[in-house]
Amino acid sequence: MTRALVLHDWLVAGIALVSGGVAGLLLRALLKWLAKHALRTRWTGDDIIVDALRTVAPWAALIAGGAVAVSALPLTARLAGIVNQSLTAVLILIATVTAARVVAGLVQSLAQSRTGVAASASIFVNITRIVVLTMGVLVALETVGVSIAPLVTALGVGGLAVALALQDTLANLFAGVHILASKTVQPGDYIRLSSGEEGYVVDINWRNSVVRNLSNNLVIIPNGRLARTNMTNYTQPEQKLSILVQAGVGYESDLEHVERVTLDVVDSVMADITGGVPDHEAAVRFHTFADSRINFTVILGVGEFSDQYRIKHEFIKRLHQRYRAEGITIPAPARTVSLQEAQPRAGSVSVPPLPHQRDASSSATLLADSQR
C-alpha cells in the first residue's frame, strides 16, 4: 500500500460496491420488463438477447463497482494491476458465456424457423458454442498475462493425437456437417433407409442423427452410416406426395360410370379430410384384365407422408359405400375346377388294386409254400 487506509477510503469503496450492486438490480428489473415485451414479438432473437443480458448486465455492473472500489483504495501499482486484470478476466468469461448463449440461441432459432423442429441441427449449435467459448477463454488468459502462443502450439500437436484416437467420432462429426451443408437431409424430413429404418429426422448432432418413427420411438443412426447408405427422402423436393390405391370392378360394369363415381369420391376425400390436397388432380387408370375383374389404380394427393394412412382409410370406406349405392360390384376371385375320371384304353390290361391287408390264414399258407 502507498499509505495507510483511512475511513474515507472504506466509505468510497463501500459506496462504489453498493452502487454497483444497486445498478445491477435495476438493470435486472429493467431487462425483466423488456423480456415481457419481447415475448409479444414474432422474432425469437430478441427473447434470446434479453435473456442473455439479464445474466451479464448485473455482473458487469457489480464488477464495475468493484473496479471503482479498488481504484479508491491506496493499493500498490502491482496489486492494483493484478486485481484489475482478474476482474477484467472474470468479466470477459461472463461475457463469453453470454455471447455463446446468444449466438447458439440465434443459430437454433434460425434452424427452427426453417425446419419447424425444436431440436433442430444441434451440431451447428454445439460447434458455434465451442468456438465462442474457446475464443473467450484464450482472450481471458491473454488478459491475465498468460501467453497463448505455446498453448495454441501444444493444442495443435495434441490435436493430431486426439484426431487419430477419435477417428470414428470425427468421421461422424464431418459426416453430419456434410449432410446438413449439402441439404440432402434436414431436420423435419421424413426418410426411409435401404435397411428399413424410417421416420422424421428430429435432430442431427455431432455424432448421431435422431429419427422418430410413426410409433413415436427414437431411432439413433450414426452420421457416417447415414451419409453412406441409400435412402429415400419423402419431403424433398416438396412435401406433397402422390399415393396409389389399387381397386377393381366386375366385367359387367360401365367403366365410364366407374371412373366418374371414383373421381367424385376422390374429390370429396381431398376436400373433407385433413391431409388431403384439394387442388390435386385426381386420376383413375385402368390397367389389367384380371381373372374375375378389371383392375385400376387411383392416384390421390396427400400433404405429407404420414397423411397417406388417414387418406387411404377414408377413401376406401367412402368408395365401398358409394359403389354399393351405385350398384357397382367388386367381385371376389373365383375359380371353377372340373375333375374327370380317366377311361381305360381298349386292349389294355387292368391291374387289380393291391390289397391293403391280408388275413392270418392267407399269410400262413404263403409262408408254408415258401418253405417247401
Side-chain angles (χ1 to χ4, degrees):
M1 294 185 181
T2 58
R3 58 181 176 81
L5 289 172
V6 296
L7 182 59
H8 179 268
D9 298 330
W10 290 111
L11 288 176
V12 173
I15 291 173
L17 286 176
V18 172
S19 300
V22 173
L25 293 176
L26 292 177
L27 287 173
R28 187 171 181 83
L30 176 62
L31 291 171
K32 184 177 181 180
W33 177 79
L34 289 176
K36 293 181 180 179
H37 288 274
L39 292 174
R40 302 174 184 176
T41 62
R42 294 183 179 180
W43 185 47
T44 58
D46 53 357
D47 302 332
I48 298 171
I49 295 173
V50 172
D51 183 65
L53 290 177
R54 289 178 62 183
T55 302
V56 69
W59 282 104
L62 186 60
I63 291 174
V68 173
V70 170
S71 63
L73 296 175
L75 303 177
T76 61
R78 183 173 179 274
L79 183 58
I82 292 175
V83 174
N84 287 328
Q85 286 180 350
S86 301
L87 292 176
T88 304
V90 172
L91 181 60
I92 290 174
L93 290 177
I94 294 174
T96 300
V97 174
T98 303
R101 290 176 57 187
V102 171
V103 175
L106 292 177
V107 172
Q108 179 74 31
S109 176
L110 179 62
Q112 183 177 351
S113 64
R114 290 187 175 183
T115 62
V117 181
S120 174
S122 62
I123 182 172
F124 286 151
V125 177
N126 293 331
I127 290 175
T128 303
R129 184 182 289 113
I130 292 173
V131 169
V132 174
L133 290 176
T134 302
M135 294 177 61
V137 170
L138 293 177
V139 173
L141 291 175
E142 187 73 20
T143 301
V144 297
V146 178
S147 179
I148 63 174
L151 181 60
V152 173
T153 304
L155 289 176
V157 175
L160 180 60
V162 172
L164 293 175
L166 300 177
Q167 292 184 17
D168 293 340
T169 300
L170 292 177
N172 288 322
L173 172 63
F174 289 113
V177 174
H178 170 71
I179 290 171
L180 290 173
S182 62
K183 296 184 178 181
T184 54
V185 177
Q186 297 291 317
D189 292 355
Y190 192 96
I191 63 173
R192 176 182 293 165
L193 305 186
S194 57
S195 55
E197 295 90 349
E198 64 178 275
Y200 291 98
V201 179
V202 177
D203 186 22
I204 300 178
N205 54 44
W206 60 278
R207 183 175 179 83
N208 301 313
S209 296
V210 181
V211 176
R212 178 176 56 83
N213 55 28
L214 295 180
S215 59
N216 208 28
N217 295 321
L218 296 181
V219 181
I220 311 300
I221 305 171
N223 292 332
R225 181 190 168 196
L226 186 65
R228 291 191 304 267
T229 189
N230 297 329
M231 77 176 73
T232 303
N233 192 331
Y234 291 95
T235 307
Q236 297 185 21
E238 63 177 357
Q239 196 171 16
K240 295 180 181 179
L241 301 174
S242 294
I243 60 173
L244 307 179
V245 178
Q246 306 297 329
V249 294
Y251 277 95
E252 72 281 358
S253 303
D254 182 358
L255 298 186
E256 293 291 340
H257 181 59
V258 170
E259 184 175 5
R260 286 193 301 269
V261 170
T262 306
L263 291 178
D264 288 342
V265 174
V266 172
D267 292 338
S268 66
V269 171
M270 292 293 99
D272 300 340
I273 306 303
T274 302
V277 183
D279 58 348
H280 177 77
E281 184 177 355
V284 174
R285 297 293 181 262
F286 296 96
H287 56 77
T288 305
F289 289 101
D291 292 339
S292 58
R293 59 184 183 175
I294 299 176
N295 293 331
F296 60 92
T297 300
V298 185
I299 304 174
L300 302 93
V302 296
E304 58 101 11
F305 185 86
S306 62
D307 293 333
Q308 62 176 308
Y309 303 104
R310 179 170 56 255
I311 296 297
K312 284 183 179 180
H313 171 75
E314 290 295 333
F315 172 71
I316 291 175
K317 285 199 309 182
R318 295 191 182 192
L319 187 66
H320 181 260
Q321 183 180 6
R322 184 69 181 276
Y323 277 5
R324 292 183 65 182
E326 297 288 340
I328 299 174
T329 59
I330 305 176
R335 250 174 218 187
T336 302
V337 180
S338 177
L339 300 178
Q340 296 181 354
E341 184 179 358
Q343 298 295 330
R345 297 180 181 178
S348 61
V349 179
S350 61
V351 180
L354 295 176
H356 293 282
Q357 61 182 3
R358 295 186 179 94
D359 54 14
S361 59
S362 301
S363 301
T365 303
L366 291 174
L367 180 61
D369 292 339
S370 63
Q371 291 177 353
R372 290 178 181 175

